[in-house]
Amino acid sequence: MKRLLTSAVLLPLALAAVFYLPTVAFWLLVVGLIELAAWEATRIGARWAPQAPLWLLLVTVPTAAVLLSRLLYEGGDPERLWALLLGLLVLLSVGCGFVVLLARTPPGEAAPALGVVGWGTTYFSTAAVALWALREIDPWVLLLLLAVVWLGDTAAYYVGRNLGRHRMAPVVSPKKTWEGAAANLIVAAATAAAWCLLRLDVVRWDLVVLAIVVAAGGQLGDLVVSLFKRGAGVKDSGDLLPGHGGMWDRLDALLVGAPLLLLGLWLLGFDANSLP
């Protein structure tokens, strides 16, 4: 019941943000929500590296997101864009390692700290930029992502709970089943087909296939987060959202699905100008 009530509150708020928030406000909202998820990741990571400067992740994520967004949407001098990319790589490699060293991190905590900060920076910042970029293409495209991920997740939860018999990853996430995963993919395909009919007046099967890929990627993203939490001995990333856990628990599939959808649309040459 808590899960349904929380969803009933979050859904209209999410739709209002997607369709009505100004660009800058939406960017700040996305970065703020992902910063919350990143903060939860640092709290979990502290179980492996309690003395390491994992707070660095909360600095590198928005910094990398800004650099990536400029790389994507600023034209002009190619040398300047390459300089931004080089700066991002330096931030992730030399910069993070330098801060971990200066913080006098115990040697046994260095590898977990660099893993959390290095992987986390790419993971969270790429997702932030992708969510913003999808909305810049068209709010309806971002709505497609939300529908594919959230409806698929709901289908997987209820089908797996009532009909699931074959465990998908019993060590990592005992409640996930192959039946639930299949339901997720089927609902994702149906959602994409319905979206195509509503927005394009024709079913584009390449977009349906892309939605299936996004849904599969989202499920893998969910399992990766479960693996991270399982290794630290925690069930949820937090308790911010009743019935859903923390912000990272709620966003885990979106954080992988958003970059996959954006990349897929680029590869397919999707033209937002064709949308009504």
Side-chain angles (χ1 to χ4, degrees):
M1 182 59 70
K2 287 182 179 180
R3 186 182 181 92
L4 290 175
L5 291 175
T6 300
S7 298
V9 173
L10 291 179
L11 182 58
L13 292 177
L15 293 177
V18 168
F19 286 99
Y20 297 112
L21 275 184
T23 298
V24 174
F26 184 78
W27 167 258
L28 293 174
L29 174 64
V30 167
V31 172
L33 293 177
I34 288 183
E35 279 283 270
L36 275 175
W39 174 70
E40 292 173 349
T42 64
R43 291 181 62 198
I44 297 172
R47 290 174 174 256
W48 291 302
Q51 300 180 61
L54 299 183
W55 54 263
L56 182 61
L57 181 63
L58 304 181
V59 177
T60 58
V61 166
T63 303
V66 170
L67 290 174
L68 283 172
S69 63
R70 294 187 68 180
L71 280 171
L72 286 176
Y73 289 100
E74 275 202 9
D77 188 357
E79 291 184 0
R80 186 182 177 202
L81 298 180
W82 280 111
L84 286 172
L85 180 59
L86 179 61
L88 178 59
L89 295 176
V90 170
L91 171 73
L92 291 177
S93 55
V94 180
C96 292
F98 187 59
V99 173
V100 169
L101 177 64
L102 284 183
R104 298 183 179 181
T105 303
E109 297 182 15
L114 290 172
V116 170
V117 176
W119 167 76
T121 299
T122 304
Y123 170 75
F124 287 113
S125 64
T126 301
V129 173
L131 287 167
W132 176 72
L134 289 170
R135 201 243 193 178
E136 287 296 292
I137 293 174
D138 190 275
W140 285 95
V141 174
L142 181 54
L143 179 63
L144 172 62
L145 172 69
L146 298 179
V148 164
V149 171
W150 287 349
L151 291 178
D153 180 63
T154 301
Y157 176 80
Y158 286 105
V159 170
R161 186 177 180 180
N162 295 291
L163 301 176
R165 296 293 182 272
H166 301 86
R167 302 300 174 187
M168 188 177 185
V171 174
V172 176
S173 186
K175 292 184 179 180
K176 286 185 172 55
T177 65
W178 285 108
E179 291 84 356
N184 185 307
L185 300 183
I186 293 170
V187 169
T191 299
W195 184 90
C196 287
L197 289 174
L198 289 172
R199 297 299 295 161
L200 307 176
D201 294 325
V202 63
V203 175
R204 279 190 54 170
W205 294 106
D206 53 353
L207 291 181
V208 173
V209 172
L210 177 57
I212 295 174
V213 172
V214 168
Q219 292 187 73
L220 289 175
D222 190 335
L223 287 173
V224 168
V225 175
S226 295
L227 178 65
F228 188 84
K229 293 184 295 184
R230 179 72 60 178
V234 300
K235 180 179 183 295
D236 296 320
S237 65
D239 56 5
L240 180 64
L241 304 171
H244 293 269
M247 186 58 66
W248 197 14
D249 294 312
R250 182 64 281 181
L251 296 180
D252 53 9
L254 284 175
L255 296 181
V256 175
L260 283 176
L261 180 58
L262 182 62
L263 178 61
L265 293 177
W266 285 343
L267 293 176
L268 293 176
F270 181 80
D271 183 10
N273 293 325
S274 64
L275 289 171

